Amino acid sequence: AKRAKRPKRDTSGQRKGKWTIEEETYATKLIENFSDGFLELPAGTTLRAFIAERLNCDPMRVTKKFSGHSCLGNKVFHASAGRSAR
């Protein structure tokens, strides 16, 4: 059976290199929840920084992955009408 490769890590322990299927799936779900305003995040948190923190990787890795198809660095968190920001 073929095992999924784990992403490489740099000297600080952050993930780097090619994204795994699990990372892509997780990031997609994070983007959905972020865009819908369903997370408990401080107002003004950027999507790029949020994903990088959750995946333990450099924000530039997130930018490279999603470049051209969405401007993640420009998306800022706003709580949905049903949820208050912390």
Side-chain angles (χ1 to χ4, degrees), residues 1 4-5 10 14-16 20 25 27 29 32 40 45 49-50 53-54 58-59 62 65 67 79 84-85:
K5 287 187 177 182
D10 65 13
Q14 288 190 326
R15 295 169 179 265
K16 66 178 190 173
T20 64
T25 302
K29 194 51 127 172
E32 289 173 15
E40 293 186 21
T45 300
F50 171 65
E53 187 268 324
R54 297 301 304 210
D58 189 281
V62 176
K65 177 66 179 174
S67 68
S84 60

Side-chain angles (χ1 to χ4, degrees), residues 11-68:
T11 55
S12 69
Q14 288 190 326
R15 295 169 179 265
K16 66 178 190 173
K18 186 166 173 59
W19 286 54
T20 64
I21 298 292
E22 294 82 6
E23 284 180 305
E24 290 182 35
T25 302
Y26 184 54
T28 299
K29 194 51 127 172
L30 291 175
I31 292 167
E32 289 173 15
N33 289 331
F34 185 98
S35 297
D36 292 340
F38 295 144
L39 303 170
E40 293 186 21
L41 296 172
T45 300
T46 65
L47 179 54
R48 176 182 178 229
F50 171 65
I51 292 173
E53 187 268 324
R54 297 301 304 210
L55 291 178
N56 187 31
C57 68
D58 189 281
M60 184 53 75
R61 182 172 181 247
V62 176
T63 299
K64 287 179 181 179
K65 177 66 179 174
F66 293 100
S67 68

